[in-house]
Amino acid sequence: MTVDQVERLKDPNIQTWANEESEGGDPPRLWLQNGMYPGTAFTRSVGDCTAEGIGVTAEPEVSMVHLSPNHLFFVVASDGIFEFLPSQAVVDMAGRYADPRDGCAAATAESYKLWLEHENRTDDITIIIVQIKNLYNE
């Protein structure tokens, strides 16, 4: 439920969360039954011991990639980067710069700009680019 639903400002039985945040509301959160905590948004609940008791799991998705000479870097980024930027756009930005810090700055600036064009707020915008040129399996 959202904070407004927990505080009985909105009907807790109506689940119309699609526009909550864009209308100045709050995203749906996880709560203990009959409790006002932990109150964390779904993605913020991973690793929260209390949230584990109400069904949140920190079981990761894992995949392996065999590196080749074509793999020059990898990107780790928050959903704030990818909300309005497709993955390929981020990869293209990262590939334009010799210094990964410049690629991070470009992706962060573009994400921030796009957030403000679409919303009256921004989400967490975090990105790490790790160069792995010449590190590959033979």
Side-chain angles (χ1 to χ4, degrees):
M1 292 190 293
T2 66
V3 172
D4 287 345
Q5 289 174 313
V6 169
E7 293 178 345
R8 302 279 186 215
L9 299 173
K10 289 189 176 180
D11 186 343
N13 296 313
I14 299 175
Q15 297 182 356
T16 56
W17 299 324
N19 297 322
E20 257 324 292
E21 293 181 76
S22 63
E23 294 174 1
D26 195 48
R29 297 175 177 276
L30 293 170
W31 308 88
L32 284 177
Q33 190 170 358
N34 301 317
M36 289 291 292
Y37 62 94
T40 52
F42 299 137
T43 58
R44 308 289 195 269
S45 301
V46 173
D48 184 318
C49 294
T50 304
E52 285 178 18
I54 54 176
V56 175
T57 178
E59 197 64 38
E61 285 185 32
V62 177
S63 61
M64 293 179 62
V65 175
H66 287 281
L67 299 180
S68 75
N70 295 331
H71 293 105
L72 305 176
F73 57 86
F74 66 86
V75 174
V76 179
S78 67
D79 60 340
I81 289 284
F82 296 112
E83 182 72 19
F84 301 108
L85 284 175
S87 296
Q88 189 60 53
V90 175
V91 168
D92 292 345
M93 270 185 237
R96 279 189 217 122
Y97 299 94
D99 187 330
R101 293 173 293 188
D102 295 332
C104 289
T108 300
E110 184 65 15
S111 294
Y112 186 74
K113 181 184 88 139
L114 290 170
W115 266 99
L116 294 180
E117 286 176 8
H118 291 82
E119 304 279 344
N120 61 359
R121 64 176 191 86
T122 64
D123 196 2
D124 168 55
I125 299 174
T126 303
I127 184 169
I128 301 167
I129 299 171
V130 179
Q131 290 183 333
I132 56 172
K133 189 175 10 179
N134 300 325
L135 297 176
Y136 55 89
N137 308 95
E138 296 201 55

